Amino acid sequence: MVAKQKILIVDDDNNIAELISLYLTKECYDTKIVNDGEEALVAFDQYNPNLILLDLMLPGIDGYQVCREIRTRSNVPIIMLSAKGEIFDKVLGLELGADDYILKPFDSKELVARVKAVLRRYQPAKPESVVELKCVEYPDLIVNLSNYSVMYNGHPIDMPPKELELLYFLASSPNQVFTREQLLDHIWGYEYIGDTRTVDVHVKRLREKIKDHESWSIATVWGIGYKFEVAE
């Protein structure tokens, strides 16, 4: 029997948390509910979830702090839930390492679709004999999509799934220019309801972890988008 994927629901409104749990249980997920940030950090270690639905407005330790703490030790997918729809709040959440951001009130079908989309992008590696090895190599950089790993200057670099997928997608097509809309479509998929600033945030985070090399760089094409530029 295939083990159910586990989702940790963190929300101080227990009615909302129970409703979310009901939606996800119907889709055959295993869920656990906690109501504050401190509980969330304890439950994260004990429950070992495959994904976290994280409300931002929590008593004590807020959702931003919880996300920041979890990102110091894990790349588990995190979807933030919030009634705050300002661009600043979305960007801050993404910069802290969230994989998606859903506004309250939300539609149950949209929530389930977002959860499925994020989990699809974060599948554990399969044996190479079963799937084709997806890997690109450049001087001092190896991006392996098969096992979601990045080696930079001989050292492993921790990256959330979407950052790695964006880097792999760009590096797989050297010197090809992609618009922000194309990158949103390829990396986040048609289910994603967001704006192009999402791409800018993820490129910014990539550049903080991987500096330009004499042989390659993540280049901005002003007014259009981005490309993985390789010296010819």
Side-chain angles (χ1 to χ4, degrees), residues 57-85:
M57 305 302 289
L58 298 171
I61 303 175
D62 67 19
Y64 291 119
Q65 291 174 286
V66 173
C67 182
R68 185 184 292 111
E69 173 62 27
I70 288 175
R71 276 291 170 260
T72 65
R73 41 188 160 139
S74 173
N75 285 329
V76 63
I78 297 174
I79 299 178
M80 286 186 169
L81 307 175
S82 178
K84 302 169 70 174

Side-chain angles (χ1 to χ4, degrees), residues 3-215:
K4 291 183 179 181
Q5 291 182 297
K6 297 186 290 185
I7 299 178
L8 179 61
I9 302 167
V10 187
D11 200 309
D12 63 336
D13 187 327
N14 206 54
N15 291 328
I16 292 178
E18 292 284 357
L19 193 59
I20 293 172
S21 178
L22 178 63
Y23 297 150
L24 296 174
T25 300
K26 286 182 178 179
E27 297 293 328
C28 296
Y29 294 107
D30 184 80
T31 64
K32 180 177 180 63
I33 296 171
V34 296
N35 302 119
D36 63 53
E38 291 184 359
E39 282 187 90
L41 295 175
V42 173
F44 171 72
D45 291 326
Q46 296 177 347
Y47 186 54
N48 193 26
N50 299 101
L51 180 143
I52 300 172
L53 288 170
L54 178 62
D55 186 35
L56 292 182
M57 305 302 289
L58 298 171
I61 303 175
D62 67 19
Y64 291 119
Q65 291 174 286
V66 173
C67 182
R68 185 184 292 111
E69 173 62 27
I70 288 175
R71 276 291 170 260
T72 65
R73 41 188 160 139
S74 173
N75 285 329
V76 63
I78 297 174
I79 299 178
M80 286 186 169
L81 307 175
S82 178
K84 302 169 70 174
E86 290 80 5
I87 291 297
F88 170 80
D89 298 302
K90 294 181 182 180
V91 171
L92 178 58
L94 293 169
E95 286 186 333
L96 290 175
D99 295 89
D100 205 345
Y101 191 107
I102 301 179
L103 285 178
K104 295 179 178 180
F106 46 78
D107 179 80
S108 61
K109 292 181 180 179
E110 179 190 353
L111 175 69
V112 171
R114 297 280 193 98
V115 167
K116 289 181 176 180
V118 170
L119 286 172
R120 276 200 305 271
R121 292 191 291 268
Y122 193 68
Q123 295 297 323
K126 298 179 181 179
E128 291 181 11
S129 59
V130 176
V131 295
E132 178 186 357
L133 180 64
K134 294 182 178 180
C135 183
V136 291
E137 295 188 32
Y138 293 95
D140 299 318
L141 178 67
I142 301 174
V143 186
N144 191 329
L145 192 62
S146 297
N147 62 9
Y148 275 75
S149 67
V150 176
M151 294 291 291
Y152 174 59
N153 286 333
H155 300 286
I157 302 294
D158 288 332
M159 284 187 186
K162 287 201 194 64
E163 284 182 33
L164 190 147
E165 290 168 9
L166 178 59
L167 177 60
Y168 177 83
F169 183 75
L170 289 169
S172 297
S173 301
N175 296 323
Q176 181 173 341
V177 178
F178 294 97
T179 67
R180 292 171 175 81
E181 290 78 11
Q182 286 175 319
L183 293 172
L184 270 178
D185 183 57
H186 281 283
I187 307 302
W188 282 264
Y190 71 90
E191 303 105 329
Y192 185 76
I193 303 173
D195 56 41
T196 55
R197 191 184 295 257
T198 300
V199 176
D200 297 335
V201 169
H202 281 72
V203 169
K204 176 176 178 287
R205 281 160 41 185
L206 281 174
R207 286 171 168 163
E208 289 171 352
K209 297 174 182 178
I210 297 178
K211 307 303 180 184
D212 288 350
H213 191 276
E214 61 182 11
S215 301

